[in-house]
Amino acid sequence: MLDCLKKINIKKTGIFAAGVLFGTAGVKILASKDAKKVYTNCTAAVLRAKECVMKTATNIQENAEDIYAEAQQINEDRAAKEAEYEDVTEKVEETEAE
């Protein structure tokens, strides 16, 4: 019987016991009313942050759509001016050829 007790590693057993003790105390602390208040407040803060980020993302998306639409309009206007210029150039060349 004493041989069995001699084979037990006191250091490892103590570390295991301390882990169980801290684990049990940790579970009690994490389940307390104060901890639940902290969790609730943190969750509320995350939800507020999410709302702020979503508003910013929506604003950026709307601005990007406006920029894209304006860029398309600029390109359409430019293409129309180039087509107009080409028409005038062709008429001048025809007139000179005659």
Side-chain angles (χ1 to χ4, degrees):
M1 177 94 174
L2 292 175
D3 290 335
C4 184
L5 292 176
K6 287 181 182 178
K7 291 182 180 179
I8 295 176
N9 188 338
I10 301 291
K11 184 176 180 181
K12 289 183 181 178
T13 305
I15 291 173
F16 175 77
V20 170
L21 178 66
F22 285 124
T24 304
V27 169
K28 293 213 181 241
I29 290 170
L30 293 176
S32 70
K33 289 182 182 180
D34 291 333
K36 287 181 183 179
K37 286 181 184 179
V38 170
Y39 305 149
T40 305
N41 287 330
C42 288
T43 303
V46 168
L47 291 174
R48 286 191 303 270
K50 177 188 169 196
E51 185 177 324
C52 180
V53 168
M54 292 306 290
K55 283 182 183 178
T56 303
T58 302
N59 189 16
I60 290 171
Q61 184 176 8
E62 289 172 356
N63 288 340
E65 289 171 357
D66 292 344
I67 291 169
Y68 181 71
E70 288 178 23
Q72 282 183 322
Q73 187 62 42
I74 289 170
N75 284 336
E76 288 173 6
D77 293 345
R78 187 174 185 174
K81 285 181 182 178
E82 286 178 4
E84 201 175 290
Y85 177 74
E86 288 175 4
D87 289 342
V88 170
T89 304
E90 288 176 6
K91 287 181 183 177
V92 170
E93 288 175 356
E94 288 175 3
T95 308
E96 290 176 358
E98 293 176 356

